Amino acid sequence: MLSEAQKEHEMVSEESGGGGEGGRGCGRSCLSKCCLRQGAKLLLYCFSKIDEDLCLPVPKVQPRVSFLDRLLEEWDDRKVRGLFHHDIAACETKVLPGKHNFIIVLIEGRDLKKRPTEFRIDEVLQPFDGDKFNFTKIGQEELIFRFEESSNGKAGYFQSAPIMSSSSPNIIAINVSPIAHGHVLLIPRILDFLPQRIDCQSFLLAMYMVKAARNPYFRMGYNSLGAFATINHLHFQGYYLEVKFPVEKAPTQIIATVGSGVNVAELLEYPVRGLVFEGGKNMLDLSDTVSSACIFLQESNRPFNVLFSECGKRIFLLLQMFSAMP
């Protein structure tokens, strides 16, 4: 929930400008306590929890500048500033022939420029290590906005809202090595220094973000350690791609329905084993069911990926083997 000081700020219109004002702190305008809690004022997006029924249709009349529009606008601004390691729009993209029509993108040198892996690749759960790279060490120029629950049920923006000394904000930042347009990171409670480990609260936050986009071409994802995650600091991926993914087109067969009404199906005729979750009375039911499955896998040392599809109505849980990363 927002603090009283944040509630007092005037809600700005969807059209107003973004950006943030660096605080004092260490002088690097980073995302650590030294700068975030020393006067930093950052653009804040407040999401609504009222419309949490995933069965509700998307309103025909949308705000002139929606959450996704604003996110992509801010992302494009960071591109103009030259903050990315490569121009994803200039990278060659192909749809492979065959049954699944997998999508490939040629990003030359990405393996050399991206942040290195600094942990074991054979353990899904590992403790957070503040001496290694984590997202508090990135600059505030990489931040797009904070993402917090609205106090009055209305979605919108606060312009340059201050961060209270006791808070640990949820951060949306660019991925400096993008694989698609609008590739961003959702970093829950950044100052709690959470390792890359699913918990029910953070999983639900990712559900709210993909729902806020109200566009099926914007997906969220999660990679566990050992399944292509390269930073041991809790984060989800988000990106925009106007094409249906092969896994979204794969046939499925329902194998169970849990007490809350969530249907669990298995992927059929697909090269990776996986489960598909959908239904339930509301978004919380679906989120709790999938996050519980993720928690079971990570505690069993089984690496996995998650894909949040169709604005959060379908969640794919893909089982992996430990990846051989450099």
Side-chain angles (χ1 to χ4, degrees):
M1 297 293 289
L2 299 177
S3 67
E4 292 301 319
Q6 290 166 331
K7 294 176 186 177
E8 293 173 359
H9 271 69
E10 179 181 359
M11 186 72 75
V12 298
S13 69
E14 299 277 4
E15 297 81 27
S16 52
E21 303 173 16
R24 297 181 292 276
C26 67
R28 295 184 295 111
S29 291
C30 67
L31 295 183
S32 192
K33 297 177 182 179
C34 58
C35 293
L36 281 187
R37 291 179 176 173
Q38 293 295 326
K41 295 181 179 180
L42 308 170
L43 179 63
L44 167 66
Y45 179 80
C46 298
F47 64 88
S48 173
K49 292 179 64 176
I50 293 179
D51 177 18
E52 68 174 32
D53 188 341
L54 291 176
C55 297
L56 291 178
V58 176
K60 294 181 179 180
V61 179
Q62 293 291 314
R64 188 160 59 178
V65 180
S66 67
F67 167 77
L68 180 58
D69 290 333
R70 185 59 175 272
L71 183 148
L72 295 178
E73 176 186 309
E74 296 289 336
W75 192 91
D76 288 337
D77 171 75
R78 305 313 187 273
K79 178 181 176 181
V80 171
R81 296 192 208 176
L83 298 182
F84 296 106
H85 292 164
H86 54 261
D87 180 3
I88 191 63
C91 296
E92 184 179 4
T93 301
K94 289 184 178 181
V95 177
L96 297 180
K99 179 178 180 180
H100 298 290
N101 297 127
F102 287 111
I103 306 161
I104 60 172
V105 182
L106 176 61
I107 307 176
E108 296 184 84
R110 185 176 189 267
D111 58 330
L112 301 176
K113 296 177 182 177
K114 68 192 299 290
R115 287 159 178 149
T117 301
E118 299 182 291
F119 51 83
R120 293 172 58 96
I121 61 172
D122 59 353
E123 292 182 3
V124 173
L125 297 180
Q126 299 180 41
F128 181 89
D129 186 344
D131 292 332
K132 297 178 180 178
F133 177 82
N134 63 79
F135 296 115
T136 66
K137 298 181 179 182
I138 68 176
Q140 289 181 23
E141 68 275 5
E142 295 182 29
L143 182 146
I144 290 183
F145 37 66
R146 293 161 53 204
F147 187 73
E148 309 288 353
E149 179 186 344
S150 171
S151 61
N152 59 10
K154 296 181 180 180
Y157 296 94
F158 283 97
Q159 186 71 30
S160 298
I163 297 175
M164 306 308 292
S165 60
S166 60
S167 66
S168 181
N170 305 311
I171 296 294
I172 298 176
I174 61 171
N175 187 322
V176 295
S177 297
I179 62 170
H181 184 224
H183 191 174
V184 296
L185 304 171
L186 171 64
I187 310 164
R189 310 192 305 280
I190 188 171
L191 297 182
D192 287 354
F193 304 108
L194 302 171
Q196 187 71 343
R197 176 177 186 152
I198 289 291
D199 64 80
C200 294
Q201 180 182 354
S202 299
F203 197 93
L204 182 60
L205 184 72
M207 291 280 282
Y208 280 121
M209 180 170 164
V210 73
K211 184 181 78 74
R214 291 189 178 275
N215 188 311
Y217 292 127
F218 182 81
R219 286 93 164 180
M220 297 287 292
Y222 175 86
N223 299 323
S224 76
L225 299 188
F228 311 111
T230 57
I231 306 297
N232 188 23
H233 190 176
L234 182 59
H235 63 286
F236 296 81
Q237 312 270 352
Y239 44 87
Y240 182 80
L241 191 63
E242 292 185 357
V243 64
K244 200 163 188 178
F245 288 1
V247 70
E248 295 173 318
K249 297 183 289 184
T252 62
Q253 179 177 347
I254 295 178
I255 57 176
T257 299
V258 300
S260 61
V262 175
N263 291 323
V264 184
E266 64 176 333
L267 284 173
L268 303 176
E269 302 173 22
Y270 195 73
V272 178
R273 290 192 303 159
L275 299 174
V276 186
F277 299 79
E278 55 187 320
K281 296 179 181 179
N282 52 46
M283 188 166 67
L284 181 60
D285 287 340
L286 181 58
S287 179
D288 282 351
T289 300
V290 185
S291 60
S292 295
C294 293
I295 291 170
F296 172 80
L297 288 174
Q298 65 192 15
E299 291 180 349
S300 302
N301 202 33
R302 294 291 305 273
F304 61 91
N305 309 113
V306 179
L307 175 68
F308 300 75
S309 178
E310 298 182 17
C311 303
K313 294 179 182 179
R314 299 182 79 201
I315 311 296
F316 294 81
L317 177 57
L318 305 177
L319 306 179
Q320 301 287 357
M321 298 180 66
F322 284 108
S323 56
M325 296 182 295

